[in-house]
Amino acid sequence: MLTEAGTTSVPTTPAAEIHRFIREAFTKVGLPEADSETVARLMTRADLTGADAHGIFRLPQYVARIEGGGVERNPKITVDRTAAATAMIDGGNGMGHLVMSKAVDTAVDIAAESGVAWVGVRRSNHAGPAALYVEKPIERGMVALYSVVASANHMPIWGGSELLLGTNPVAFGIPAGEEPPIILDIATSVTSYGTVKNHVLNNQPLEEGWMVNRETGEPIIDPMDVAKGALLPIGGYKGSGICLVLGLMGGPLNRAAFGRDVTDFNADSMSETNTGHFLVVVDVTKFLPLAEFKADIDRHIRELRSSKLMPGHDSIRLPGEARAARLKDRGASGVPLSPALLGKLAELGKRLGIKPIS
């Protein structure tokens, strides 16, 4: 099938085929079958929900880090219950998706017992889009907040030019009733670096306001110039401050990497990144009945959606609505994969000896 992306027709691929290819690739490079299945499921979920820079797009890079020794094939993931409502997870340098799956399960269990949970993570790796890790708490009727120290530094602190901060994304999840849950998943940069990489792969110009030249401060539009650039934070100095505090809570609080200690996983396939994450989960039922809460959230969503429009806008979109729509649409019609990406995946499949994507 074909789908329209701007003015270019992009072939679509069934989710089951994406899942199969990812799973087989990880198995080929030595991940246990159960772990390969978990990571493939989460990466496919990223593609289905529209996080196109964090799904199968990342597969060649993940494989390179596993083969290069930068990621442990059989990690020992340990959980230390440090207090009634807190835990620290050592990911054993495993795939971030596996480590964060353990973190989510731990946080949900603690919140069910104590009403709230704060779970810190160290010695992890890149784990895909932040929204993946607020979904399970939502399903359990819980509110969640998740953040991570990004796996490379692409932003300076406000007013600086040295790349000492990552895009440090944050996701919030709030359950609803009949309406889609509120899921806000944003980078603290204007755009994620994965989106920039996608533009580089497909030789598409960057949008003005995404990056500036570190030496001149001029906007970068040409995708071939991104090595000279710095991503810009959302909201100027305010976004820079948010990025900083999220990084400090995900990094030093967990004895994980931050600032100059961060290893650029784009350029280094051999070194441990010691990626730090944190997840906060709150059990709604410790405050009020879940059905009452969900009904009230539905009411507010509908009131916001039906409120008077600002001139120049034809609709109001709330966080999570487009994600839910993409999940439904792509589940039925497939995931758009660009010819450039399909070419890279074909090369990877041939090298690993697995059936190509059909």
Side-chain angles (χ1 to χ4, degrees):
M1 296 180 65
L2 296 178
T3 186
E4 292 298 319
T7 58
T8 305
S9 293
V10 179
T12 61
T13 301
E17 184 67 2
I18 290 174
H19 181 279
R20 188 272 309 168
F21 189 87
I22 295 172
R23 185 189 68 245
E24 290 183 3
F26 282 127
T27 302
K28 280 286 187 178
V29 296
L31 259 64
E33 289 188 7
D35 290 350
S36 297
E37 170 64 25
T38 296
V39 180
R41 175 177 54 80
L42 290 168
M43 289 175 66
T44 304
R45 180 77 173 178
D47 279 323
L48 283 170
T49 56
D52 295 330
H54 292 295
I56 197 170
F57 175 84
R58 294 279 181 176
L59 182 61
Q61 179 185 27
Y62 290 157
V63 166
R65 281 192 50 76
I66 292 169
E67 292 180 322
V71 174
E72 174 60 47
R73 290 175 170 86
N74 293 280
K76 182 181 179 182
I77 302 173
T78 60
V79 180
D80 180 13
R81 285 289 298 269
T82 55
T86 61
M88 175 62 66
I89 291 182
D90 185 316
N93 194 33
M95 285 290 295
H97 304 72
L98 301 175
V99 180
M100 278 311 303
S101 293
K102 185 66 173 179
V104 171
D105 288 343
T106 301
V108 167
D109 289 345
I110 292 175
E113 296 172 7
S114 302
V116 63
W118 183 298
V119 175
V121 177
R122 62 172 169 258
R123 297 192 66 217
S124 181
N125 283 281
H126 189 275
L132 290 178
Y133 305 110
V134 299
E135 285 190 312
K136 185 170 184 178
I138 288 172
E139 292 169 0
R140 291 283 300 271
M142 299 180 180
V143 171
L145 181 160
Y146 162 78
S147 188
V148 58
V149 180
S151 299
N153 288 335
H154 294 295
M155 283 203 300
I157 192 69
W158 186 252
S161 64
E162 187 176 355
L163 302 180
L164 293 176
L165 297 176
T167 58
N168 298 358
V170 61
F172 299 84
I174 301 174
E178 297 176 357
E179 298 291 339
I182 296 292
I183 298 180
L184 177 66
D185 178 0
I186 57 172
T188 47
S189 52
V190 174
T191 193
S192 71
Y193 195 70
T195 300
V196 171
K197 289 181 66 175
N198 208 358
H199 278 246
V200 172
L201 175 64
N202 294 290
N203 196 28
Q204 296 174 333
L206 277 60
E207 293 186 17
E208 187 169 344
W210 285 4
M211 299 190 83
V212 295
N213 187 297
R214 295 196 303 277
E215 298 297 327
T216 67
E218 295 296 315
I220 287 180
I221 305 299
D222 188 336
M224 297 301 105
D225 291 339
V226 299
K228 308 172 186 176
L231 287 172
L232 292 171
I234 56 172
Y237 69 91
K238 295 181 180 181
S240 181
I242 293 171
C243 176
L244 171 63
V245 297
L246 291 173
L248 293 174
M249 288 189 290
L253 184 61
N254 297 326
R255 297 179 180 170
F258 175 77
R260 287 195 174 94
D261 298 336
V262 169
T263 296
D264 184 347
F265 85 140
N266 299 290
D268 186 339
S269 295
M270 297 180 290
S271 302
E272 180 173 333
T273 62
N274 189 18
T275 300
H277 318 243
F278 69 92
L279 178 66
V280 184
V281 175
V282 178
D283 185 351
V284 170
T285 64
K286 301 301 190 289
F287 292 83
L288 75 168
L290 182 58
E292 180 181 335
F293 178 76
K294 287 183 173 181
D296 206 25
I297 296 298
D298 280 354
R299 177 175 65 86
H300 288 299
I301 287 173
R302 290 161 185 163
E303 288 177 354
L304 290 166
R305 190 188 295 127
S306 62
S307 61
K308 186 176 179 180
L309 295 174
M310 180 74 72
H313 293 263
D314 57 10
S315 65
I316 291 170
R317 190 184 80 184
L318 298 176
E321 286 185 339
R323 187 176 187 273
R326 282 191 296 268
L327 181 60
K328 181 178 179 180
D329 177 66
R330 292 184 174 194
S333 61
V335 176
L337 302 179
S338 72
L341 176 56
L342 286 169
K344 287 190 68 173
L345 296 173
E347 293 174 6
L348 178 67
K350 183 177 181 180
R351 181 171 69 81
L352 296 179
I354 59 178
K355 178 186 172 184
I357 291 176
S358 60

